[in-house]
């Protein structure tokens, strides 16, 4: 059996005059997808397909021995009607490997059909000899290489080029070792084929490629739903073909034929490639002559060159249906009150026949043709003498060719024909605030009869005066009333005054004088409570109070009131001195808890749950206790009328321009203490009388004196213990447990729990 592959019956593959372009490419000319080096050239069938997939190419390493080259199945076969079976594999088998081919009918024994191993070409010279000079020259342009070895290695090692080249040309497939043609196949039966990969010595490498096929001769199915349309001299060919990989049906391209004088003639030298996952195809080509009948059909072609039966046959007479290009540079010139001159650039289309002029007025919805007869192609000036009154006029031009094709409209050019006097203004504008927060506007109609709309405007004039007006109505209105829903249709902010204006607009867009009316939006919603307060004692008999601004924009100031003693929920508004003040009735045993509000009081949140009712606070907040009233930007007050030893709380309220007050914000309680101790106690005497020690001293003169504390010890230098405390009005104390020889010390204590400096200890005598 001869191992050399004879291509005498597959010469359709070697036709160097065919040009393949990808079907569906919308770019004109048809082969515009090719790289610049190929445009306008005759390209062999494989070249354009290879161009389209070059972006997806993946190189195969030279040392790889057994690697799939594509997503196709590893092996498939095409049985031609002449009985030849083309057996393909899609596995890269290496540069130095070859193969034997075995075959068996299903259920039979394997039979070797190659007497000697088949080795693919291993170098550029052999590659050129097998594929031919013409195809090799095109592959040079595709790969970008010049030498035979570089082109060969690119086709061999780049997987997609290897696969696609093999599917299109048996010469390439055989040169690369991807095809075996069995000319003695058991046609009509199911057979298995096996590629046995061998080394350079002809020894099996252990790698095999096996496939089983029904060897039924046949040709491809014909394309379906073939149709032809045209855009001028360009034909648009469209058809359908089942989406399938090449390995399933072998179809690789489509060819087009023209039936003329009983003969089938190739419509063009280009063919369209079959795309496996595509079922609808579009292909474009140009004809030499218009108004001539063309009868065209398409056939499918498999990888062996077999053609299908013709598709449905379509006859078309392409006519010039391409409209001329639109004219440009429309220029308008007012001649007088009733005439406008329209001019434009002469059309450069060779088959242009003339023009029509169209016009639209401001209050019209579409253009109206002004020219009864088409203007000559060189008559590019038209005078519109049908102007009637003041208005805004727009013009456009269309070009028409000798076949009656109409161009797209030109750019639109507009002109304003103005009247000599503006319309008269509306009468007596009235503005009234409604219960739903909108403002109802009413006015008397303008005496001018051709009013096209009224313009309604608005601006704020208090407390801030805007320098610009906002448009209230976006669309034309001819009624004499309008309800304004407010800013962003959300009503009007309280406490502000707005000015409204209405003017009449005539046909020429000239506007009358504006009539105005004002409306005040009353401020009825109290401001929000300041969300945060803070208090802090300071030196010199002062307490600092600060707070965060109320979120309300209507606030004009704040009031701060003082409350003596901490206010607690459930206290029914009664102040609680918590001890330590002038009414405490005794000395403190340590601090009552210095609540200076270091962390502040977030009264805008849960703090309100612990406050007494608003009415109870209102009873405590009297003008006599007002610390200060501040402006909007001042949120700090210093209370300089505090008494050491007292506990204070403060209430902060926000006040708006209408006198509305927010809910009060209650600060934390703060105990104010003095840092200056009272003078030491002097003239201390202790004497045992009737078994008890009488201790007396000279009264200390201090403003905030709370009392005295007496200490006793058995020795002069020993530890003294606290034995008694008396009020500020006392200067004598009797120790019923005292003895002669005991030692005593007396300290003065003020309301801030400051204790006087220690004095000399006094011993009790008899």
């Amino acid at each position: 059996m001869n191992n050399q592959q004879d291509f005498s019956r597959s010469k359709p593959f070697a036709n160097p005059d065919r040009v393949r372009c990808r079907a569906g490419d919308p770019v004109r000319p048809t082969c515009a997808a090719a790289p610049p080096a190929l445009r306008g050239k005759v390209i062999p069938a494989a070249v354009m397909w290879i161009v389209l997939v070059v972006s997806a190419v993946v190189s195969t390493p030279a040392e790889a021995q057994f690697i799939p080259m594509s997503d196709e199945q590893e092996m498939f076969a095409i049985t031609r009607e002449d009985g030849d079976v083309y057996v393909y594999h899609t596995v890269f088998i290496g540069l130095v490997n070859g193969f034997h081919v075995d075959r068996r009918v299903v259920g039979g024994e394997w039979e070797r059909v190659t007497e000697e191993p088949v080795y693919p070409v291993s170098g550029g010279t052999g590659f050129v000899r097998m594929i031919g000079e013409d195809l090799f020259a095109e592959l040079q342009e595709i790969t970008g290489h010049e030498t035979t070895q570089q082109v060969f290695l690119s086709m061999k090692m780049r997987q997609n080029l290897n696969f696609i080249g093999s599917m299109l040309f048996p010469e390439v497939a055989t040169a690369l070792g991807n095809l075996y043609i069995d000319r003695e196949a058991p046609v009509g039966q199911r057979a298995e084929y096996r590629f046995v990969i061998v080394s350079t010595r002809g020894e099996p490498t252990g790698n095999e490629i096996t496939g089983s096929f029904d060897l039924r001769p046949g040709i491809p199915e014909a394309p379906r739903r073939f149709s032809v349309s045209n855009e001028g001299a360009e034909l648009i060919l469209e058809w359908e073909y089942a989406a399938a990989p090449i390995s399933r049906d072998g179809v690789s391209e489509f060819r087009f034929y023209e039936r003329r004088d009983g003969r089938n003639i190739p419509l063009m030298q280009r063919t369209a490639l079959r795309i496996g996952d595509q079922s609808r195809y579009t292909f474009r080509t140009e004809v030499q002559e218009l108004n001539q009948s063309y009868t065209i059909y398409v056939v499918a072609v498999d990888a062996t060159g077999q053609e299908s039966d013709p598709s449905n046959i379509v006859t078309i007479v392409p006519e010039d249906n391409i409209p001329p290009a639109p004219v440009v540079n429309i220029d308008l010139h007012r001649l007088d009150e009733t005439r406008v001159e329209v001019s434009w650039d002469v059309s450069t289309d060779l088959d242009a026949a003339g023009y029509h002029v169209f016009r639209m007025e401001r209050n019209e919805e579409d253009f109206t043709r002004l020219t009864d007869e088409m203007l000559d192609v060189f008559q590019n000036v038209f005078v519109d003498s049908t102007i009637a009154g003041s208005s805004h006029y727009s013009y456009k031009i269309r070009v028409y060719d000798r076949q009656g094709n109409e161009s797209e409209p030109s750019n639109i050019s507009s002109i304003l024909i103005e009247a000599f006097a503006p319309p008269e203004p509306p009468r007596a504008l009235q503005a009234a605030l409604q219960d739903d927060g909108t403002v109802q506007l009413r006015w008397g109609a303008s005496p001018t009869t051709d009013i096209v709309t009224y313009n309604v405007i608005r601006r704020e004039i208090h407390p801030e005066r805007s320098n610009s007006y906002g448009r209230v109505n976006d669309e034309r209105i001819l009624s004499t009333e309008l309800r304004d829903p407010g800013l962003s249709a959300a009503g009007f902010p309280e406490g502000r005054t707005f000015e409204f204006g209405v003017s009449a607009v005539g046909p020429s867009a000239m506007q009358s004088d504006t009539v105005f009316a004002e409306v005040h939006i009353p401020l009825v919603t109290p401001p929000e409570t300041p969300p945060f307060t803070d208090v802090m004692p300071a030196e010199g008999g002062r307490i600092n109070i600060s707070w965060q601004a109320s979120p309300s924009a209507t606030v004009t100031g704040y009031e701060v009131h003082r409350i003596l003693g901490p206010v607690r929920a459930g206290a029914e508004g009664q102040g609680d001195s918590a001890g330590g003040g002038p009414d405490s009735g005794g000395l403190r045993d340590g601090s009552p808890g210095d609540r200076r509000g270091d962390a502040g009081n977030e009264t805008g949140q849960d703090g309100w749950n612990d406050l007494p009712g608003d009415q109870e606070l209102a009873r405590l907040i009297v003008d006599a206790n007002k610390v200060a009233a501040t402006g909007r930007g001042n949120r700090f007050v210093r209370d300089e009328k505090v008494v050491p030893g007292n506990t204070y709380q403060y209430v902060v309220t926000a006040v708006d321009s209408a006198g509305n007050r927010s809910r009060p914000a209650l600060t934390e309680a703060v105990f104010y203490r003095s840092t200056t101790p009272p003078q030491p106690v002097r003239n201390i005497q202790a004497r045992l009388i009737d078994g008890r020690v009488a201790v007396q001293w000279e009264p200390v003169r201090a403003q905030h004196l709370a009392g005295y504390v007496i200490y006793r010890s058995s020795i002069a230098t020993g530890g003294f213990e606290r034995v008694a405390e008396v009020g500020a009005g006392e200067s004598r104390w009797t120790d019923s447990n005292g003895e002669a020889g005991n030692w005593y010390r007396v300290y003065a204590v003020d309301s801030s729990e400051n204790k006087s400096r220690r004095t000399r200890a006094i011993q009790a005598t008899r």
Side-chain angles (χ1 to χ4, degrees), residues 359-368 386 388-394 414-416 449-453 476-478 505-509:
R359 187 191 72 191
M360 180 177 69
E361 263 190 85
R362 178 195 298 275
N363 56 354
E364 294 178 341
E365 296 182 355
D366 203 357
F367 281 84
T368 301
T386 61
S390 301
S391 188
H392 190 273
Y393 297 90
S394 298
S414 301
I415 188 171
L416 177 64
T449 57
D450 59 348
I451 297 299
V452 297
T453 187
R476 294 181 179 182
I477 57 171
L478 292 174
V505 181
S508 63

Side-chain angles (χ1 to χ4, degrees), residues 479-687:
S479 65
T480 56
E481 63 178 63
L482 176 70
R483 178 164 291 198
D484 185 0
L487 309 179
S488 301
F492 293 88
E494 295 180 0
R496 302 188 185 185
T497 301
F498 291 87
E499 181 181 59
F500 292 86
V502 178
S503 61
V505 181
S508 63
M510 293 193 71
Q511 192 166 302
S512 72
D513 291 339
T514 303
V515 294
F516 294 97
E518 297 180 5
V519 62
H520 177 71
I521 312 300
L523 186 58
V524 296
T525 303
E528 294 186 48
T529 303
F532 180 87
T533 60
D534 189 30
V535 288
M536 183 69 69
E539 294 292 337
R542 296 173 293 183
I543 294 178
N544 296 333
I545 306 101
S546 60
W547 59 94
Q548 191 173 343
S550 167
S552 300
T554 58
V555 171
T556 57
Y558 300 91
E559 292 181 354
V560 181
H561 289 78
R562 178 194 317 110
I563 299 175
L564 180 63
V567 179
R568 298 188 179 94
E572 298 183 353
Q574 298 299 319
D576 183 1
S577 65
D583 301 326
S584 62
L587 299 180
R588 298 177 185 272
D589 185 11
S591 172
D594 187 2
R595 297 178 292 178
R596 290 179 291 173
D598 292 341
N601 176 25
E602 298 185 6
T603 58
Q605 301 179 3
D606 294 338
W608 274 110
N609 296 331
D610 297 329
L611 294 181
D614 292 349
Q615 293 181 352
E616 297 173 359
L617 279 177
R619 184 160 51 85
L620 296 174
I621 301 172
V622 296
D623 288 341
N625 293 331
K626 181 186 289 188
V627 177
T630 70
R632 174 186 177 88
N634 184 6
R635 297 188 298 277
F636 175 83
V637 167
R638 177 173 292 150
D639 186 3
E640 298 183 348
K641 296 181 180 181
V642 296
V643 177
N646 283 347
T647 298
Y648 296 95
Q649 276 185 280
Y650 295 88
V651 174
V652 181
T653 53
V655 184
D656 63 22
S657 58
N660 299 309
R661 285 174 169 74
S662 71
R663 293 190 64 201
L666 186 63
T667 71
E668 292 283 347
V670 61
F671 173 70
Y672 185 79
R673 67 172 68 241
S674 171
T675 58
T676 303
Q679 293 294 319
V681 181
R682 299 188 303 170
N683 297 328
I684 303 172
Q685 299 177 11
R687 180 175 296 179

Side-chain angles (χ1 to χ4, degrees), residues 427-447:
R427 301 291 190 259
L429 174 62
Q430 297 178 346
L433 180 65
Q434 305 299 299
D435 292 339
D436 60 0
T438 62
V439 172
Q440 180 69 47
L441 303 173
R442 290 186 175 88
W443 61 90
S446 167

